Structure formats: structure tokens, C-alpha cells
Amino acid sequence: MTDQEQRLRIAVQKKGQLADKSLQLFEQAGLKITRGANDLLYRAENFPADFLRVRDDDIPQFVASGACALGIVGENVLEEDLPQLQAAAVEVARPLGFGQCTLKIAVPNEMAYNNAQDLSGMSIATSYPVLLKKYLDDKNVAASVVEMSGAVEVAPRLNVADVICDLVSTGQTLAANGLRAVDTVMNSEAVLIRHTGEKTLYPEDLIARLLRRIDGVLATRETKYIMMNAPEAALDEIIEILPGAGSPTVTPLAGEPGQVAIHAVCQESVFWETLERLKAAGSSAILVLPIEKMML
Ligand code: PRT
Ligand code: ZN
């Protein structure tokens, strides 16, 4: 293998909704990424990986072809592209928990709508013709699909189409254009995808190492370290309340018979309600701390 083959190439979006968060994920996994003069390729200084910065639409192809070992893209883009890719050569390695959005059917506010059958005979503008056609086929609806590469939300106003099928996050864009969402075509989030075609193309151990670190980052997002003092008699009740905790560490408190300190790693979100319940169960001095690094 040449030196170049020993470095992992990873495709990320250059500019847009996923660009910053994609690089941040690898930085949280400990990679020092030089945002160098070479705009197309960023290099990690302390890990054999390079980041190919491209349009998100090209990422599934780069990974399926093996030009890149890994990539980060919205599930919506991956699913849209799958039919024209060597689908067997790319798989979702991890859902990443950011870039959430929903591909929705939206109609002008004044239009009546009961169910998908109402779309029959209409024209629908979208950047996701494959996903939309699948939705229409599933519902047995015959409608015409008008493919647009952007600014889909203006299509009804310009009489380019009757209704639209577009990504929605907060819903502000729809509202600003006099549209309302009426049905969901797909829920999406950013996913880490990996090349699976030729397993030997990239060093498996390097990919496994990176995935392990990413798993650590994803796990610590929700995970908290929680500490409190409590009466020993309330231990069972408290363990019951702690969200997603394994076996907590319980130590006696010096000079306070019957009182213990409880330390636990909680794998799920710790809400204020959880703290209130712990307090009601007899806990005091409750501390919730973020976890910086974790290896499972
Ligand atoms: O240049 P390039 O081709 O790489 O970028 P792009 O313009 O195609 O993609 P980009 O950056 O807009 O989105 C990249 C990915 O981010 C998408 O494929 C989704 O997986 C994800 N994502 C998450 C979103 C949104 N949220 C989102 N809100 N993608 C687009 N939007 C747009 C949407 O199209 C609409 O115009 O934001 C508008 C709606 O937002 P709200 O908040 O008004 O509802
Ligand atoms: Zn794009």
C-alpha cells in the first residue's frame, strides 16, 4: 500500500447546513484539522485522515465509488441517490443526531386537503423526485413531479407547480411563503456513511479506531455524571429514578450513619424533573456533570 492509501479520505459538505457540524464531530473525536490553503482538502495533523469538501449531493457517490472511505450526508440525500449508486457499496455506519429535518408535502394555505388522494392530478415541485415518486406510488396517487434544484417554496406562487415537497426544519420558510405542511414523506438526520464495496480499499483497523472515537463522542452528548447524598434506605427508589444508569457507586458518608454518596453515569438526558424526583426521594447536594471523553 502506498502512503496515500493509508490515509482515510472522508467526504464532508463544504458549505451549508451540515458543514460545520461535520468537522466538529471529528474534532470532538480528537482530530486536529488544518483549515489550510487547499480549500478542497483539509488535513488532520494527528490522525491519518483527509477531508474532501464537496457539495452534499456528491457525497454518496464519492463513498459508494470508494474514492472516500467515509462521508457525512443527510439521509434524505443518501436515500434519493441510492437507486443510481452501487447501493451495495455504501452503508449507514452511524446516525449522528444532528441536521434533523423532515421532507414534507406542503400546500398553499387556502387549499383544502384531507389526504394524499387530494394530490391526484396535481403538479408537485421538489428537489427529491425519487423520494416523492416512491411516496406517491405507495399511496397509489398519480401526480406529476416537477424537479427543481432550489427555491422550491416559491413554485406555487409562480404557478410552476400546485404544491411542493421540500425539507422543513422550523417551518418558517413554509409560513413565509403562504404554505402549510400536510404530510410527511421522510424524517431525516445526518448520517455517517461508509464504503463497503472493497473491504481492503481502506485499512479496516483505522476505520474501526475512528468509529470507536465517534461512538465515544455520540455517547457523551447525552451522558452525564451524577452525584448526590442520600439515606441508604432510599437507595432502591433512587436507582429506579436515575435515567439509563448502570450500577451506581455507593459509598458511606463519614460521620453520618445511614447516609451514602451515590455516583452514577446516566446514559439518557437528566431533566430538572429527574432532579426534583431525586430530591423528593431524599437526595441532597445533587450534582450533574458533563462527561468530556468516554470509551465504552
Ligand atoms: O451546496 P450543497 O449542495 O452542499 O448544499 P444544499 O443547499 O443542497 O444543502 P443544505 O446545506 O441546504 O442542506 C444539507 C442537508 O442538511 C440537507 O440535505 C438536510 O439533510 C439537512 N437539513 C437540515 C436541511 C435543513 N435542516 C433545512 N432546514 N436542509 C435544508 N433546509 C432548508 C430547506 O430546504 C428550506 O429551504 O431550510 C429551509 C427550511 O427551513 P425552515 O427552518 O424554515 O423550515
Ligand atoms: Zn445539495
Side-chain angles (χ1 to χ4, degrees):
M1 252 185 204
T2 65
D3 277 355
Q4 203 189 354
E5 284 168 328
Q6 287 291 353
R7 291 184 72 80
L8 292 181
R9 213 174 299 129
I10 303 170
V12 291
Q13 191 188 24
K14 181 171 188 173
K15 213 171 63 195
Q17 305 264 358
L18 307 180
D20 289 344
K21 286 198 169 144
S22 298
L23 286 184
Q24 276 163 17
L25 175 72
F26 293 104
E27 284 172 338
Q28 285 164 348
L31 274 63
K32 262 182 110 171
I33 303 167
T34 328
R35 289 157 168 74
N38 185 348
D39 207 30
L40 179 67
L41 204 70
Y42 281 176
R43 197 180 158 87
E45 284 170 32
N46 56 353
F47 195 96
D50 297 310
F51 294 86
L52 188 66
R53 301 170 65 243
V54 291
R55 291 201 60 176
D56 68 343
D57 315 71
D58 297 330
I59 292 174
Q61 175 60 34
F62 273 119
V63 176
S65 69
C68 292
L70 299 166
I72 292 181
V73 72
E75 262 176 308
N76 51 305
V77 173
L78 177 68
E79 292 286 324
E80 177 73 21
D81 289 1
L82 272 185
Q84 35 171 347
L85 292 175
Q86 304 150 275
V90 60
E91 70 176 17
V92 172
R94 299 289 185 275
L96 296 175
F98 63 85
Q100 285 97 344
C101 55
T102 312
L103 187 63
K104 290 203 177 241
I105 304 284
V107 306
N109 283 331
E110 63 279 8
M111 183 188 283
Y113 181 94
N114 294 311
N115 56 44
Q117 304 309 317
D118 294 347
L119 300 172
S120 170
M122 290 200 175
S123 56
I124 310 175
T126 191
S127 304
Y128 297 92
V130 171
L131 295 174
L132 175 57
K133 279 184 192 136
K134 185 169 176 303
Y135 165 88
L136 293 171
D137 287 350
D138 286 350
K139 305 260 179 196
N140 240 324
V141 171
S144 62
V145 175
V146 180
E147 194 172 337
M148 292 176 71
S149 60
V152 172
E153 65 276 5
V154 300
R157 226 183 323 139
L158 299 181
N159 288 326
V160 174
D162 299 311
V163 303
I164 70 167
C165 167
D166 199 11
L167 294 175
V168 179
S169 164
T170 60
Q172 281 175 14
T173 305
L174 292 186
N177 286 279
L179 301 165
R180 73 177 202 281
V182 292
D183 205 358
T184 294
V185 175
M186 179 186 182
N187 289 310
S188 178
E189 67 180 297
V191 288
L192 180 71
I193 55 173
R194 65 177 293 181
H195 178 73
T196 55
E198 287 176 65
K199 287 277 187 192
T200 52
L201 200 57
Y202 285 97
E204 275 298 306
D205 53 339
L206 214 52
I207 295 177
R209 222 175 112 207
L210 191 53
L211 286 179
R212 212 158 34 234
R213 288 204 200 178
I214 286 173
D215 285 340
V217 174
L218 298 176
T220 55
R221 286 211 172 135
E222 295 270 288
T223 306
K224 296 281 183 277
Y225 194 77
I226 184 162
M227 306 192 281
M228 74 204 77
N229 296 340
E232 198 172 4
L235 201 55
D236 287 348
E237 188 183 350
I238 286 169
I239 291 173
E240 190 84 344
I241 297 168
L242 289 172
S247 317
T249 307
V250 180
T251 38
L253 281 181
E256 292 189 47
Q259 287 285 317
V260 290
I262 304 170
H263 291 197
V265 174
C266 290
Q267 308 277 6
E268 295 160 24
S269 301
V270 178
F271 299 105
W272 281 107
E273 289 73 14
T274 313
L275 302 194
E276 285 162 1
R277 289 179 61 204
L278 288 170
K279 183 113 185 110
S283 304
S284 59
I286 309 170
L287 294 180
V288 180
L289 309 174
I291 291 175
E292 192 183 291
K293 289 192 181 65
M294 189 156 104
M295 194 167 277
L296 298 169

